Amino acid sequence: SDIQKSGAPNVVVLLQQISGIDIRQRGVEGMQADLYIRGGSFDQTLLLIDGIKLEDAQTGHHSLNLIPPIDLIERIEVLKGPAARIYGQNAFTGAVNIVTKSGGSGANNLTFLRGSYDQYHLKSTLQTKGKQGGVLGYFSYNTSDGYRYNTDFINRNYFVKGDFKAKEIPFQFLGYFSDREFGANGFYATPSATEQYEETEVSLVALSAVKKTEKSIFKLRIYWRRSQDMYVFIRDNPSVYRNLHITNKAGVALDYSLFSSLGTTGIGIDFARVGISSNNLGDHSRNITTIFAEHRFLLFGDQMDITPGIAFN
């Protein structure tokens, strides 16, 4: 309900309304933006979709290249302050988790919008629900000539989410692809660099399961994120200067929570293989393992919350 009342056309504008969060946007419609929490850098702030970490092997500058359209969002969870113990080194100043809507929970619709600067925006949502779960599919195409020279853009989004049960265990499948092409007049380098151009492609495939009992919660996530970024300094002459980076991250995450009279105990492990292939930086890869354990104490009638913990990265 807060999202609907905000009137925000996209997630970038919505996050700008939250205290403690700073969004620095170069283009329109979230075409190029960076996320900061409490004065930290974009490399110290982690973005997640349905609990899947979206950090990029090259730079946190690409974190917001894959954010769901606002029509698909159920809620946004913001954790301010150090969250590195649970989420790893990319959550030093905080984390933002975007929770998308469940499959089959809404209506089908088709929307066409026409705006200034020759903007066209087409988006469609298709849903179906059965006895074992539901499926949500979404497509959008947004394009404009731009509000000034060389700020034109094309933004395409393809999203599918399935929620189903097998032997009373909820499973969730998520597939998301976002493709952007935009003129980057003055975005980088100096304001006089008016001919810059960039293309980004980001995809995410994830499968998750949750097993709940009265005293515990067990979560399993398997995911793969791929990102491609191409930048040229002079749009019509890429031979002058061109960067092409392709990054991949594939991982498995396990989290377990135990509830008792002493509070909540949480343990987790996240193992990922990350790599980058670049025409300027070369080919590199590494393994990242994050292990954490913590316990949450609620004292004085739940008036005081103390959560000591430890993590290894």
Side-chain angles (χ1 to χ4, degrees):
S1 60
D2 291 335
I3 294 175
Q4 293 175 346
K5 293 175 183 177
S6 71
N10 54 64
V11 177
V12 169
V13 175
L14 181 63
L15 290 176
Q16 286 177 322
Q17 301 177 9
I18 302 176
S19 62
I21 292 184
D22 180 21
I23 299 289
R24 301 179 189 179
Q25 184 177 189
R26 295 174 177 87
V28 297
E29 297 289 334
M31 205 52 55
Q32 206 303 303
D34 293 324
L35 173 64
Y36 305 77
I37 292 182
R38 290 183 173 176
S41 73
F42 48 74
D43 277 320
Q44 296 173 323
T45 303
L46 181 65
L47 181 70
L48 306 94
I49 295 181
D50 291 337
I52 305 298
K53 297 191 289 187
L54 298 181
E55 76 268 26
D56 188 89
Q58 178 197 357
T59 170
H61 180 62
H62 296 313
S63 294
L64 293 181
N65 288 350
L66 190 70
I67 49 176
I70 204 166
D71 303 340
L72 300 177
I73 296 175
E74 177 67 28
R75 68 183 186 275
I76 297 178
E77 302 167 343
V78 179
L79 179 60
K80 301 174 185 177
R85 182 173 70 246
I86 298 176
Y87 295 117
Q89 64 271 23
N90 293 94
F92 184 77
T93 60
V96 176
N97 182 34
I98 299 176
V99 181
T100 58
K101 295 179 179 179
S102 300
S105 62
N108 300 326
N109 62 71
L110 176 64
T111 305
F112 177 76
L113 304 173
R114 179 76 166 87
S116 56
Y117 305 106
D118 207 24
Q119 182 180 14
Y120 296 88
H121 191 182
L122 174 67
K123 53 184 179 179
S124 175
T125 303
L126 297 174
Q127 303 195 59
T128 182
K129 191 171 185 178
K131 294 182 180 179
Q132 298 300 320
V135 177
L136 165 65
Y138 178 90
F139 163 78
S140 70
Y141 179 87
N142 191 2
T143 181
S144 170
D145 288 342
Y147 65 98
R148 60 174 178 161
Y149 172 72
N150 195 30
T151 58
D152 58 295
F153 66 84
I154 299 175
N155 186 1
R156 308 175 188 90
N157 290 282
Y158 308 86
F159 181 93
V160 60
K161 182 177 182 180
D163 294 274
F164 55 94
K165 286 186 177 182
K167 296 182 179 180
E168 300 303 317
I169 298 177
F171 285 84
Q172 183 182 93
F173 170 79
L174 176 65
Y176 185 24
F177 176 77
S178 180
D179 173 26
R180 300 178 178 182
E181 306 169 14
F182 54 94
N185 181 350
F187 282 19
Y188 318 106
T190 65
S192 61
T194 60
E195 302 297 329
Q196 299 173 91
Y197 175 74
E198 191 169 6
E199 294 180 3
T200 65
E201 294 180 2
V202 191
S203 56
L204 174 66
V205 178
L207 180 66
S208 61
V210 179
K211 174 66 175 179
K212 293 183 178 181
T213 67
E214 292 183 359
K215 295 185 177 181
S216 65
I217 299 176
F218 177 80
K219 297 180 181 180
L220 167 66
R221 299 184 182 95
I222 303 172
Y223 59 93
W224 170 49
R225 178 190 185 274
R226 181 187 184 275
S227 175
Q228 178 174 308
D229 172 59
M230 187 195 73
Y231 164 83
V232 295
F233 186 66
I234 299 179
R235 184 170 185 167
D236 296 329
N237 190 5
S239 61
V240 173
Y241 184 83
R242 175 179 176 269
N243 261 342
L244 176 62
H245 306 292
I246 299 175
T247 62
N248 283 277
K249 179 185 180 183
V252 178
L254 300 171
D255 293 289
Y256 179 75
S257 298
L258 177 65
F259 309 106
S260 67
S261 59
L262 298 177
T264 303
T265 303
I267 58 175
I269 181 171
D270 188 338
F271 175 79
R273 175 75 172 178
V274 299
I276 181 171
S277 178
S278 168
N279 65 326
N280 286 321
L281 302 177
D283 298 340
H284 306 275
S285 62
R286 63 175 179 171
N287 297 323
I288 299 177
T289 302
T290 301
I291 302 174
F292 80 90
E294 66 177 21
H295 185 83
R296 182 187 185 194
F297 295 95
L298 292 176
L299 308 175
F300 305 110
D302 296 347
Q303 297 299 310
M304 178 178 289
D305 185 329
I306 300 177
T307 308
I310 188 171
F312 300 94
N313 292 296

